[in-house]
Amino acid sequence: MVILSWENQTMRVEFVLRGFSSIQQLNISLFMMFFVFYILTVSGNILIVLLVLFNRHLHTPMYFFLVNLSFLEIWYTSNIIPKMLLIIIAEQKTISVAGCLAQFYFFGSLAATECLLLAVMSYDRYLAICQPLHYPILMTGSLCIRLAASSWLCCFLLTAITMVLLCRLSFCGPNEIDHFFCDFTPVVHLSCTDTSLTETIAFTTSSAVTLVPLLLITASYACILAAILRIPCGTGRRKAFSTCSSHLTVVVVFYGTLIATYLVPSANSSQLFHRGLSMLYTILTPMFNPIIYSLRNRDIHKALKKCLSKKSGFLR
């Protein structure tokens, strides 16, 4: 263990991630499983990005925000899984304090950005269904860019506040993190200084970027549901609902696992259970998102068939 002496304290310069130490006998199986998950996540989201970029009929606000979401998912998983794979296969369980804080910063910023992007996408669906005649005028290209850019910038700046406070903490006690990545709670509990201000600020900012978007999403879908129920034709109702069903599914999966992870009391459940929930929203949800958006999306189906037909024609 590398340590430094500073102001009469023994300062830690690295942590030990112990997320899978209790099941070392499954290291090879875990490595293969998470490696496959990572490849599927990255390739699936890259496919969504490329399909939208190279098909002009997909250049609409809905798919612009979907590209932002897919781009986010690529970096979201790349921030966690490669280090996790290294821990599993090479048993290099240490991570520097700076590297750990950087991992938390990008994890927190990207997770918060996803919350805002999902809210923006629900607002886009609200305008498309509830105000279809005004939709092209209201949801302009410049507004789409401003909404997406604001989501990214706001969350990275808000997380930076918590990051600054974390950097001011001293870590001079235990150095083992019982998790597979550097989440806020297990890291801050290792500090040997007062963390009350850091925890208060982190709770306030995280609540703002999760609960406020959730309320906006709920309000948007309440209006969407009311509008759909007013459609007299059953076919029209199904068509209107199909345009937002994929997004609604992603919202339920993402927020469901996020809320379960952070609201289930630690005293009433095992750390293994909490790590399992964390895997759902850090690993599985980003992998399922492109699948969910592709299964019932006719535009994506057409774009994919067009791409495959061009490729087969080129090979001939």
Side-chain angles (χ1 to χ4, degrees):
M1 177 65 198
V2 182
I3 56 178
L4 291 177
S5 179
W6 180 72
E7 294 185 358
N8 299 323
Q9 292 187 12
T10 302
M11 302 301 296
R12 303 293 183 184
V13 297
E14 64 182 21
F15 294 133
V16 177
L17 292 169
R18 298 183 61 252
F20 300 101
S21 58
S22 61
I23 48 175
Q24 291 184 355
Q25 66 275 15
L26 300 177
N27 277 0
I28 300 298
S29 300
L30 288 174
F31 177 85
M32 294 302 298
M33 180 177 67
F34 291 134
F35 180 73
V36 170
F37 287 170
Y38 181 61
I39 296 300
L40 290 176
T41 301
V42 173
S43 58
N45 283 288
I46 287 178
L47 179 62
I48 293 291
V49 172
L50 294 178
L51 286 175
V52 174
L53 289 179
F54 292 104
N55 288 271
R56 294 185 62 85
H57 70 281
L58 296 182
H59 291 182
T60 62
M62 181 175 71
Y63 293 107
F64 171 77
F65 295 127
L66 179 57
V67 165
N68 273 266
L69 185 63
S70 294
F71 182 75
L72 180 147
E73 300 290 20
I74 294 169
W75 293 106
Y76 187 63
T77 53
S78 297
N79 179 51
I80 294 175
I81 296 184
K83 179 61 179 178
M84 187 175 69
L85 292 175
L86 190 62
I87 290 172
I88 293 173
I89 198 66
E91 296 190 359
Q92 183 182 338
K93 302 183 185 303
T94 59
I95 182 172
S96 67
V97 172
C100 189
L101 295 181
Q103 186 184 60
F104 161 74
Y105 174 67
F106 286 106
F107 161 73
S109 299
L110 292 170
T113 303
E114 179 159 0
C115 292
L116 289 191
L117 282 176
L118 290 174
V120 168
M121 294 172 77
S122 69
Y123 174 66
D124 172 69
R125 292 299 84 204
Y126 159 75
L127 290 180
I129 294 174
C130 298
Q131 302 186 42
L133 298 179
H134 297 93
Y135 178 73
I137 301 173
L138 296 173
M139 190 58 72
T140 61
S142 60
L143 178 61
C144 292
I145 294 173
R146 288 199 300 270
L147 288 173
S150 298
S151 299
W152 287 87
L153 184 61
C154 175
C155 292
F156 273 80
L157 289 177
L158 280 176
T159 310
I161 299 174
T162 303
M163 185 67 177
V164 170
L165 294 173
L166 278 174
C167 291
R168 297 176 61 184
L169 298 178
S170 299
F171 299 96
C172 50
N175 72 314
E176 293 186 345
I177 299 175
D178 193 15
H179 213 325
F180 59 89
F181 73 100
C182 294
D183 203 355
F184 175 80
T185 300
V187 171
V188 80
H189 283 173
L190 296 180
S191 175
C192 53
T193 52
D194 182 26
T195 62
S196 56
L197 176 62
T198 304
E199 293 185 77
T200 301
I201 296 296
F203 176 79
T204 303
T205 55
S206 60
S207 297
V209 296
T210 54
L211 297 181
V212 173
L214 181 58
L215 291 175
L216 294 174
I217 292 170
T218 303
S220 296
Y221 273 104
C223 296
I224 289 172
L225 180 61
I228 290 176
L229 292 177
R230 287 196 298 266
I231 299 175
C233 175
T235 303
R237 286 196 296 268
R238 286 191 296 271
K239 184 178 180 180
F241 181 75
S242 67
T243 63
C244 56
S245 59
S246 297
H247 174 260
L248 184 58
T249 304
V250 170
V251 168
V252 171
V253 172
F254 178 76
Y255 267 102
T257 55
L258 195 65
I259 291 173
T261 301
Y262 290 103
L263 291 188
V264 173
S266 299
N268 297 334
S269 57
S270 66
Q271 287 297 319
L272 184 61
F273 176 71
H274 272 268
R275 285 196 295 271
L277 289 176
S278 298
M279 287 180 193
L280 288 178
Y281 72 84
T282 57
I283 299 174
L284 296 181
T285 300
M287 181 181 70
F288 287 138
N289 282 357
I291 299 174
I292 293 171
Y293 275 105
S294 301
L295 284 177
R296 299 183 62 183
N297 193 307
R298 293 181 180 178
D299 292 333
I300 295 293
H301 288 172
K302 291 178 181 178
L304 185 58
K305 288 179 181 179
K306 184 178 179 181
C307 179
L308 293 175
S309 62
K310 284 184 177 180
K311 184 176 180 180
S312 61
F314 175 78
L315 292 176
R316 290 176 186 174

